[in-house]
Amino acid sequence: MAGHKDKSPLGIKGIYPFFLILSLVCLMITTVLLSLGYRAEVGPFAVMTFVSLALYVRGSEFWSVTAFTLWVTAFVTTAMFFPRFFTNVHGVETKPYIMNIIQFIMFGMGTTLSIRDFKRVFIMPQTIVIGIVLQYTVMPFVGKGIAMLFAPNPEVAAGIVLNGSCPGGVASNVINFLAKANVALSVTLTAVSTLVAPVMTPTMTKWLAGAYIPINFFDMMWSIFQMIIFPVGGGLLVNTFLRRMSKVNPKFALVSDGIMRSLPFFSMFGICVANGILTAYSRDSLLVGAIVFSILISIMLHNFMGYMLGYWCSRALGIGIIDSRTIAVEVGLQNSAMAAGLAIKVLHSNLAALPGVVFASWQNMSGAILASYWARRPVVSEAPAPVIEEAEETA
């Protein structure tokens, strides 16, 4: 990236090009082995292709955001070739622990929130309402239409609708930052859409996917409280506590800062592990070419329509360009880990979890591309979006 100064001790001309070369070599070996019919031997080289590429993009200030997607892809690829690493760890089945992993991920999300993120609802209520309405109409209804056109079976169709009925994903905040959009609005939309998920997700899923597979509204609502609301609320409380303690005792700020900096890393690692486990248990279904192709087409179209309709519907309702871009990202990016977890726990279907698993990998890459496009086309004619300054908190 032009003008980027690498902060690595080795510099951008040091170790990062080595990872790129290693990635290209592994990709070439993978391609040759596949062309010769050695499918079983491809695994290590395919995994190293993505691992090396993930390490390489860390050298770019902008494209480093895609490192997370590449790590997810590396875990998914590992699960496809070596599923036993994810399905059984020292004789313990991992499937029952998927919900616990998602709870930890959501707890990490909660630690990034604060009370001021919810106060913005009163500063820009119209924009927030429009964003939430679009979140829970565009993606569920588009998902229903896509399911009718492309889903190979009822369980996958239900999974597509379920994924579309979930709240916005945490990655949307990073994507909006890179796109030079309204990050404050993005954080608030993610928080509010998550808060109303216990009602909206079961409602839209049962309404639009009930014909495909039996859906228990109250089981799904309670699962969302357990999986999403309670962990996010716990993370919010921890964030508030650490902030207040830091003000009371400045020395505690170092401990607080260390905890807050480490949690996002563990949350991202949890997402990688969760995707690996879900992929490993769905491996046999993913090896069926027709199912893979239909799901890929479905999630790519679903994601694209979310961006497009999120943006143009916002513009049609009088929202400014910057905030419309923000809403487009919020609408297009879903909490796919939640969708996959609900598919396993409530729908009891590995197939229904597949759209969420694939969507999780795809949306970060597409989001980074969209952010790059918009970042190079800044909006200079609009007034800055309203921002709430953090109020002083007392113990």
Side-chain angles (χ1 to χ4, degrees), residues 45 128 151 160 186 230 269 275 282 305 341 362 376 378 387:
F45 299 103
I128 298 294
I160 293 172
S186 176
F230 295 153
F269 179 73
N275 276 276
S282 305
M305 292 298 291
W362 166 259
R376 287 165 173 75
V387 177

Side-chain angles (χ1 to χ4, degrees), residues 72-251:
V72 171
T73 306
F75 273 74
V76 168
T77 303
T78 304
M80 287 295 294
F81 284 100
F82 311 103
R84 64 186 182 278
F85 292 161
F86 292 92
T87 57
N88 191 299
V89 179
H90 298 295
V92 178
E93 290 292 324
T94 57
K95 193 172 185 178
Y97 297 97
I98 292 175
M99 182 172 177
N100 300 112
I101 296 173
I102 295 175
Q103 286 173 325
F104 179 76
I105 295 168
M106 292 300 103
F107 175 81
M109 171 187 169
T111 60
T112 66
L113 300 176
S114 65
I115 300 300
R116 71 181 184 276
D117 296 322
F118 295 94
K119 290 180 179 178
R120 296 190 189 99
V121 175
F122 303 102
I123 297 297
M124 49 180 85
Q126 180 181 355
T127 304
I128 298 294
V129 170
I130 289 174
I132 298 302
V133 170
L134 291 176
Q135 176 72 56
Y136 284 109
T137 54
V138 168
M139 293 302 275
F141 283 108
V142 169
K144 173 68 172 181
I146 290 173
M148 294 172 64
L149 292 173
F150 298 105
N153 62 56
E155 292 180 62
V156 172
I160 293 172
V161 175
L162 173 59
N163 185 69
S165 301
C166 285
V170 186
S172 61
N173 308 150
V174 179
I175 298 301
N176 272 312
F177 171 76
L178 294 173
K180 299 180 180 179
N182 189 340
V183 179
L185 173 61
S186 176
V187 172
T188 300
L189 284 172
T190 301
V192 176
S193 67
T194 300
L195 191 65
V196 301
V199 174
M200 294 307 302
T201 298
T203 298
M204 301 307 294
T205 304
K206 186 171 180 62
W207 182 21
L208 299 176
Y212 299 127
I213 190 171
I215 296 171
N216 189 306
F217 178 93
F218 292 104
D219 279 355
M220 183 172 290
M221 174 185 284
W222 178 238
S223 294
I224 293 173
F225 270 108
Q226 291 179 296
M227 189 184 303
I228 307 296
I229 301 301
F230 295 153
V232 169
L236 177 60
L237 290 175
V238 168
N239 186 1
T240 303
F241 172 77
L242 292 177
R243 285 175 180 270
R244 292 187 176 184
M245 287 298 295
S246 297
K247 291 180 179 180
V248 173
N249 184 359
K251 293 182 178 179

Side-chain angles (χ1 to χ4, degrees), residues 158-159 162 205 213-216 220 342-349 352:
L162 173 59
T205 304
I213 190 171
I215 296 171
N216 189 306
M220 183 172 290
L342 289 173
I344 296 293
K345 180 174 175 57
V346 180
L347 305 186
H348 308 291
S349 171

Side-chain angles (χ1 to χ4, degrees), residues 225-362:
F225 270 108
Q226 291 179 296
M227 189 184 303
I228 307 296
I229 301 301
F230 295 153
V232 169
L236 177 60
L237 290 175
V238 168
N239 186 1
T240 303
F241 172 77
L242 292 177
R243 285 175 180 270
R244 292 187 176 184
M245 287 298 295
S246 297
K247 291 180 179 180
V248 173
N249 184 359
K251 293 182 178 179
F252 187 79
L254 294 175
V255 178
S256 173
D257 186 62
I259 294 174
M260 299 303 292
R261 286 178 179 274
S262 63
L263 280 173
F265 168 79
F266 288 110
S267 294
M268 289 189 291
F269 179 73
I271 294 173
C272 292
V273 172
N275 276 276
I277 293 174
L278 290 166
T279 301
Y281 279 102
S282 305
R283 177 180 180 269
D284 293 340
S285 298
L286 285 170
L287 291 176
V288 179
I291 291 180
V292 174
F293 181 75
S294 65
I295 291 177
L296 281 174
I297 294 296
S298 297
I299 63 101
M300 291 172 70
L301 182 59
H302 203 179
N303 183 226
F304 171 75
M305 292 298 291
Y307 292 145
M308 185 179 72
L309 292 176
Y311 179 80
W312 287 111
C313 287
S314 298
R315 294 293 290 139
L317 292 170
I319 304 298
I321 295 176
I322 294 177
D323 286 352
S324 292
R325 290 179 176 183
T326 305
I327 292 174
V329 172
E330 285 295 320
V331 173
L333 270 64
Q334 300 295 96
N335 190 336
S336 296
M338 170 181 164
L342 289 173
I344 296 293
K345 180 174 175 57
V346 180
L347 305 186
H348 308 291
S349 171
N350 290 337
L351 284 176
L354 290 181
V357 173
V358 179
F359 201 99
S361 299
W362 166 259

